[in-house]
Amino acid sequence: MNSIKIDLRSTASFVDAETLDAWRGKAVQALIKLESRKGEGNDFLGWIDLPAACTETVRDDLKNVAGKLSQGIELVVVIGIGGSYLGAKAVLDALSHSFNTLLPQRKHPLLLFAGQNISEDYHAELLEVLKNHSAACIVISKSGTTTEPAIAFRLIKQHFEEKYGKAGAKNRIVAITDAARGALRVLAGQEGYSTFVIPDDVGGRFSVFTPVGLLPIAVAGFDIDALIKGAADMAHYTAKKDCTNPAVQYAAVRNALYVQGRKIEVLVNYNPKLHYVTEWWKQLYGESEGKAHKGLFPAGVDFTSDLHSMGQYLQEGERHLFETVLSVAQEKHTLTIPHDEQNLDQLNFLAGKRLCECNKMAELGTLLAHVDGGVPNIHIEIPTLDEYHLGGLLYFFEKACGVSGYMLGVNPFDQPGVEAYKKNMFALLNKPGFEEQGEALRKRI
Ligand code: PA5
């Protein structure tokens, strides 16, 4: 059964049924273009078939390497940025105990991330922690030349070689990169690291179902079979060329709202475990659609926390946005609110109720208030936060993104704009070959 419920009732007063139907028709056409592999960026559509391509043999190989890498290891540093980071981080945060760093006994290593920024403090403090723990490293870069992870890897490699010796370091490092190109591939070959390949036809932000996402997820002890099964089932549902397809529904309504001047989509969650799913989604949609001076700006909020910071704006600020609420129907734990004899906070009417009931009423109350305040709301629900449903959710967002990007009239699978900052950074750091540009830039600072 399709594990995603998409409810558009709270957009009905903003987009009438006839208009929405027309957009659904356009979404189906975009889906046909995507699946026929004749649209722009069609050399980057390998992600569509990743769940089917991730066979039992592939998954067993990943589990074996994950098992070997974890033996006697307390910490695994995962180095990567953007699409080489956010998929694994999203799944791990969604599935992990909220306080896993404080749990006394862990069956699996704790995963820490590096190279997703170049903060000196962050990396110095990471090295400080690594001194007292047995560690391994997964270094991920498709191009193998991205500056941030390359800097982090220099630091980790040096630390490992000093601490474990060159041979010891080699056994603790797995590289995930292009099959043939890039500095990381060359280095991995020279040093004899175990490696996995990121397929040529899969872009970073669509790579969560390759070893980029799957190896860290397996190292953390999560069920990659179920994750892939969820994605495979969703691949089936989102291939349907009709309005029962949730990706068609979502792509249609967000484009319908966009042309009405709703330029910002705010992804809302009521479970802090979903914070990084939102970060992953922001990259997926921002990098895929933000081109040719077009595209919805993807923003995110964690409710109810952010109702106390962003709630005022969402209720009464400029009406250039809409919300997509991502709900999880069932939480894992049961916790009821206690009775209090004094009742100073006047909350005894809540005694005996579960927290999830309060959270649900906060969600429904906010939805009604925001719709009354002029904010259209799309509602997406998954039954529970587990590997299967998360796999389905991520695949759903990927498919809808491809469809939506084609509806917008952009190539959703390239990212030419990401290069501009890199060139300036290299010029300002005096990279050989960038001297003239560096001089020109310095005059402007
Ligand atoms: O989605 C993308 O293509 C980017 O976010 C890349 O994943 C990111 O820039 C990292 O690139 P690489 O994996 O080549 O180091």
Side-chain angles (χ1 to χ4, degrees), residues 64-74 109 134 172:
N64 275 336
V65 173
K68 280 188 200 145
L69 195 67
S70 306
Q71 257 165 31
I73 296 290
E74 295 166 273
S134 162
R172 289 166 185 262

Side-chain angles (χ1 to χ4, degrees), residues 81-84 140-144 146 149 203-205 283 287 415:
I81 195 165
S84 290
I140 309 171
S141 178
K142 185 178 180 198
S143 63
T146 307
R205 60 191 175 276
Q283 186 202 353
E287 212 166 81
Q415 53 285 329

Side-chain angles (χ1 to χ4, degrees), residues 10 30 34 85 98 122 141-142 179 188 192 215 223 226 238 258 280 303 306 333 352-353 424:
S10 300
L34 181 72
Y85 152 64
S98 303
Y122 183 92
S141 178
K142 185 178 180 198
L215 185 64
D223 182 352
T238 55
Y258 176 65
W280 172 87
F303 284 172
D306 290 337
H333 298 279
K353 283 196 198 301
N424 285 356

Side-chain angles (χ1 to χ4, degrees), residues 127-288:
L127 291 172
E128 207 175 289
V129 163
L130 290 180
K131 272 189 204 150
N132 303 318
H133 296 274
S134 162
C137 169
I138 302 172
V139 54
I140 309 171
S141 178
K142 185 178 180 198
S143 63
T145 55
T146 307
T147 311
E148 291 90 335
I151 290 174
F153 188 56
R154 278 192 178 214
L155 295 168
I156 297 294
K157 182 172 179 288
Q158 184 187 49
H159 169 83
F160 275 22
E161 290 181 356
E162 280 169 13
K163 188 168 172 186
Y164 307 114
K166 216 158 164 63
K170 181 196 112 175
N171 296 330
R172 289 166 185 262
I173 295 171
V174 176
I176 306 177
T177 188
D178 184 83
R181 288 183 299 258
L184 184 56
R185 171 56 59 191
V186 176
L187 185 67
Q190 275 173 9
E191 302 284 338
Y193 302 149
S194 298
T195 61
F196 284 97
V197 168
I198 309 174
D200 260 358
D201 57 356
V202 178
R205 60 191 175 276
F206 289 88
S207 68
V208 61
F209 301 117
T210 72
V212 171
L214 298 176
L215 185 64
I217 294 166
V219 167
F222 294 112
D223 182 352
I224 60 170
D225 297 332
L227 189 87
I228 290 294
K229 171 84 176 107
D233 287 353
M234 190 53 68
H236 170 74
Y237 293 116
T238 55
K240 294 191 175 169
K241 313 289 181 299
D242 61 41
C243 297
T244 62
N245 179 337
V248 163
Q249 298 262 27
Y250 178 52
V253 72
R254 63 197 298 283
N255 276 281
L257 290 165
Y258 176 65
V259 298
Q260 285 185 9
R262 305 283 174 169
K263 305 283 186 194
I264 299 168
E265 178 176 9
V266 185
L267 191 68
V268 176
N269 72 71
Y270 284 82
N271 186 332
K273 287 178 191 284
L274 290 172
H275 178 82
Y276 270 93
V277 169
T278 301
E279 294 304 308
W280 172 87
W281 169 91
K282 277 161 63 180
Q283 186 202 353
L284 181 67
Y285 281 82
E287 212 166 81
S288 300

